[in-house]
Every structure is written in structure tokens, then in C-alpha cells.
Amino acid sequence: MADPADDLLPLMGINLGRAHRLPDDDSQSSSEDETDESLSSDGEAEMEHIAGEEDMEAQAGNENQIDEELVEEDNPQPVEARHQRRKKKKLRLSFRRKSHDSDGQKPTIVNFDQSLPSSHSYLGNDLEDVRGRTILEEDSVVTMPLLLLPGVVLVPGQVLPLQLHMQHLVAMVRRVADTDNTFGVINLSSRLTSGDSYQNVSALGCTAEIFSKKEELDEPSGISTVTVKARGRQRFRIIKMKSEITGELMGKVRILPEMSLTHALDGVQIPSLCRLMAPPAEDPEDMVKTAVDRHGRVLTSVDLRCQSAITRLTSAHFTQWPSWVYKMYDIDWLSEQIRGELQSWCPASLPPDPVDLSFWVAHNLPVNDELRLRLLSFNSVVQRLRFGLNVIRKSGRLLCCEQCQEEISSKEHVFSMSHEGPLGAYVNPHGHVHEMFTVTTVENLNHVGGAYTEHSWFPGYAWTIVQCKRCHAHMGWKFTATKKNLSPRKFWGLCRTSVKTTFGSVEEDSGDLDM
């Protein structure tokens, strides 16, 4: 039997099918509006429209609550009926909140052309390609020009864009382009000790090989500028460096070797077991039986191939060492563990080669210059993978401001807008190179100025400068889509040197990896 009060409520203008907005939802929407205050004109109009709807819902909710109280006073009804109505309302609100939370946990869909950031299309399409490849012999000592870059640690395989305005650097690029197209890049970092700030030049660097360049001349002033795209090639350690009278920095460096260790069980592996580890000679299609129905749908599948329990680690049981010791130095196992840890960042762009994967990890992890240089200091790919895996597992979840430790984002929000990975090096028109990684969600950031599309590192997105709310330090940029079909609609690029991640005690040996 229907409740009499339910028939009276529609006559009084009360809509039971509309759930009231919770105070938590109002606070969350207001914080999101505050975060998005620098959107384009279309975005601002959309946000104002949404805010107007929320105010109307809140006002309607208040009127509904007052009308229900009046109905309860004029028409007394059993307590059980009132409790039942309140229970239904709570169920509707909980369902609405769950649907809102589930939408926030959906993976980020990227339909943006991810080749544009890695090709640095914002530099123009008129750069000339430079052909040729220079490979320096390992352990050789060579002399080459050096380029100091603050806050940048070049990694082999990484693309480095440069816009050089200083005339001695322009002359250096000209001379290098006429010889072997190779120069050295070393990190310049600032440190604070006992209240005094000083600059530290790293002894570890990486060679950069020019593969594209463009030279321009400003006729009124007679000043030349050069735009360069180079790629990191080989690691080196500085033996000696000096400054020439022209202002060019020259260095005598030793090219570091790239050591590839043999398999850990080569000395104890039993040759008679090797043939048992080979795949079966039979055709897999004949050994897998599948049953389907008349519509072609698979009902069941049975694998008749013999599953051998002998693996490449089986021989470890014949030694005095446990198998997990050998597993710690197994390249395939380390690569598999790293792929599992970083699968949410960019599952499709992880390099298949273990050496390239170790450099990819050194390049894309949001770590400081010190840890990144330690990753590059290892000559063995196994040690780089082990140390990188240890850093990934011991790194903190939160990404905080480097200066005031204010929470900015978390590792779960890191994603890739480029084929190279979530972190990349980009250059502004003034020639300053920024290493930046992309995230989907941030907090405690203020916007500085408006949104601009000129010289955007991500074509189709407008950029806005963001800074920390607490200490006003520069944190990076917010990117907002200017086209309706682009996804994501917005994301943030955080400077690697402006963000700090809390770490545990990361040992160089990395012997405490979880097996």
C-alpha cells in the first residue's frame, strides 16, 4: 500500500527522484573550480554553467528538506515510514557517490599524437637533417667540447633540444657540425651547505650527437642563433677540463665501457639439461585441443604439451647457493619485474632490449640529479637494472615540493603523453632546458598568468605557469586542450628538479630486493 505522504509530496513541488548533493561533493567541486581558474574562455563558460547547476541543485535540496519537515509536522505518520524513506535516499546518495568515485579511477585515455612531443615539432619543420654516426671506442681518452646544463642529466638514447644564443656556443656547434657532430653534456647543480650556495659540476656526463639543426641570423643586430636536436650516445667520465680564451669549455674524457655479463649459471649449468629446456618440436596447434559449439564459441581448451619443470634456474639447486641469489642477477627476471612495476605509466613504449630498458628507467624516473647520476655510473646493465628496481620499490608514493615539502601529486597519477615516456626534455624560446614529467592530477598549486598556445610543447594544448601555493616556487605548467576532440582535456607537467619523492635507504648493492 502506498504511503499517503508520497502522494502529497509531488503536489507541494518536492521531487523525490533527485538526490541531494552532499557537503563533501560541494567542497570537492569548489576545489576543482579553484584549480581550473585559468582555463580558456570556453572552459570558463563551461565551468560557470556547471557551477550554476550545482547551486540550483543545492537550493532545490534545501527547499526539499524544508518541505519534508513541514509535511512531517502537518501530516504525522509512522516512524517506520519516515525511516524507510530516509534509507532509500541514503541508498541513492551512496550509489551516486560510488559512481563518481569509479569514474575518477578510470585509466587516462590519450588520443593525442604522442610522436609530436618526442619529435619536438614546436621547434619547426625546417631543421636540416645531419647524417652520419660517430661511435667512440670504449675506454678511449678523447678531447671534446663540453656543454654545462643546469638541472639536466643526459641519458643515452634521450633526445635533447637546444636553442643557443650565446655566440661562443653557436661557434662550437658550427665547428662540431663540420667534424663528428659530437659534444659532451654534463650536469650543473646548485647545492646549499652551511647557508652558502655553490654550483657543482658533475664528473659524469654523456656524449650528444647532433642529428638535426637550423641556423638563423638576425640581420639588424648581426647575432646568430642555432637550434639543435641531439641524442645521447655514450657515457664518459671527465679527466680534465679547461676553458679556452674564446669561452668554449673543453674536456679530456674517458669513454665508459658497457659491460654485458654472461648468464649467472654458465659455470654450473649441466649441458645435458639444456636440451630439456628447449621448446617442444611438435606444432603447437596440434598439441592444443579446443572445443567449440555450433556458433563457433569456444567452450574449453586443453593443452596437451608436456610442461617441463626444468628452467634456466634449475641448475642452481646443484650448487651451495640458493636459486634466489642467481635470480637477483638474471637479466630477464629483472626486466620482467621492472615492466610489472612501470606498466601503468606506459605499457606499450618500454624498450625490449635490457640495456635500453636500463637507460629508459634512468631517464624516466622522477628522481633528483644525484640518484640519476648514480644510475648512470654503473657500467653493467645488471647493476643498473637492480639499482633501478630498488629505487622504484623504495620510492615514496607522494610527489612533494622540493622546497617546502607540500604535497603536489602521487606516482599513481604519472602517465605518458610522449612515445619516449612520462619524462622528457624541452626547451623554451630563451634557451632554458626543462626536464618535465606529466601527471593527471595535482593539488596545492596556483596559476600564474593566462593560457598561451605559442611555443607549446604539446601542439593543441595551451600552457599556463603553475607554482606552489605555500612557497610560490615554480613547479611547472598546466596544459589545457584547445580542441574538443583531444583527450585528456587537461594535464600537468612538473619539473623534475622542483619535485621531491621521499625515499628509503637505497643501497648501492641492492641486495634486499623482494623475491
Side-chain angles (χ1 to χ4, degrees), residues 144-176:
M144 65 175 59
L146 301 178
L147 177 62
L148 293 175
L149 285 181
V152 176
V153 179
L154 186 62
V155 176
Q158 177 185 353
V159 176
L160 177 66
L162 296 172
Q163 285 189 327
L164 304 175
H165 304 278
M166 303 181 70
Q167 295 307 297
H168 69 280
L169 296 179
V170 174
M172 182 266 290
V173 170
R174 288 176 181 171
R175 184 172 59 84
V176 166

Side-chain angles (χ1 to χ4, degrees), residues 164-168 170-171 174 215-226:
L164 304 175
H165 304 278
M166 303 181 70
Q167 295 307 297
H168 69 280
V170 174
R174 288 176 181 171
E215 187 174 348
E216 296 177 340
L217 176 64
D218 186 12
E219 295 183 357
S221 61
I223 298 177
S224 299
T225 60
V226 62

